[in-house]
Amino acid sequence: VTISVAYLEEPPGGGDPFLEEERMLARNICDRIAEFMARKTASERAREREALLETMFAQTTDAVILVDGETGRIFNFNETACRSLGYGPEEFSRLSVRDIQAEHSPEEIGRNMEALAKGHALAFETRHLCKNGEARDVDLAMRRIEHGGQPYVCAVWRDVTEQKAREGEQLLLTERLQLQSRLLAALS
């Protein structure tokens, strides 16, 4: 920051027209303007980063939720999470982990939350309940995070129901072919 001062006339005596106090005041004004500009720039960068993170969160094809680490209630989520289970955003925001977990008992959920609180990351296959009562197979990964001094669990899952169905069909076909091969070998 630079301050320029112009005089319409030559100062009397041709010497330095400023008192030391005036120079200090000008320096302080420049410093404050520079600090303000630095804070404004940092704030703009933080908003840009936040907007980028929100875009990434919204655009991912995996379901992502943030769960309150103390209550188990769903705190935040992307559209994929609520849509994949057949809920609207308003309905989904009122749910907890227990409402969507199809396989684990409340005790198992509690043990998982304790493990996460101790810093363990968890990943396993499980089933989630849809709004219509249907259960979906999911690959789930969870990790504890902290934001603003508050513990949360970040859970990310991918629906693998169709993949598991194809694998089951493939296994059934393989078993049938093996049985047919054994029958043909026995007949010949």
Side-chain angles (χ1 to χ4, degrees), residues 45-178:
R45 286 186 184 145
R47 277 195 299 277
E48 288 171 3
R49 276 193 303 271
E50 188 174 318
L52 177 61
L53 289 174
E54 285 179 25
T55 299
M56 290 169 51
F57 188 68
Q59 298 297 320
T60 184
T61 57
D62 290 340
V64 181
I65 63 173
L66 289 177
V67 175
D68 185 306
E70 295 170 353
T71 67
R73 303 228 24 107
I74 296 172
F75 173 75
N76 200 349
F77 53 90
N78 67 357
E79 185 180 329
T80 304
C82 60
R83 192 173 14 113
S84 71
L85 300 178
Y87 289 95
E90 182 79 21
E91 298 169 295
F92 198 74
S93 69
R94 293 189 297 264
L95 299 179
S96 71
V97 171
R98 292 180 181 172
D99 296 321
I100 64 173
Q101 179 48 250
E103 289 185 327
H104 294 186
S105 68
E107 293 77 25
E108 288 175 288
I109 293 170
R111 284 192 296 273
N112 287 341
M113 294 297 268
E114 286 173 16
L116 290 163
K118 292 177 183 175
H120 300 289
L122 301 176
F124 50 85
E125 195 171 281
T126 188
R127 295 175 64 93
H128 282 170
L129 282 174
C130 294
K131 180 181 176 181
N132 66 7
E134 175 188 2
R136 304 290 294 177
D137 296 307
V138 297
D139 275 335
L140 174 68
M142 297 183 294
R143 168 169 263 129
R144 181 181 186 271
I145 61 172
E146 196 168 305
H147 180 69
Q150 176 73 28
Y152 294 99
V153 172
C154 179
V156 179
W157 73 82
R158 177 172 286 144
D159 190 318
V160 293
T161 305
E162 282 78 23
Q163 177 185 337
K164 286 189 65 90
R166 284 191 303 273
E167 289 170 359
E169 290 170 6
Q170 188 67 38
L171 183 61
L172 188 58
L173 284 173
T174 301
E175 289 172 356
R176 284 183 184 166
L177 286 173
Q178 289 172 346

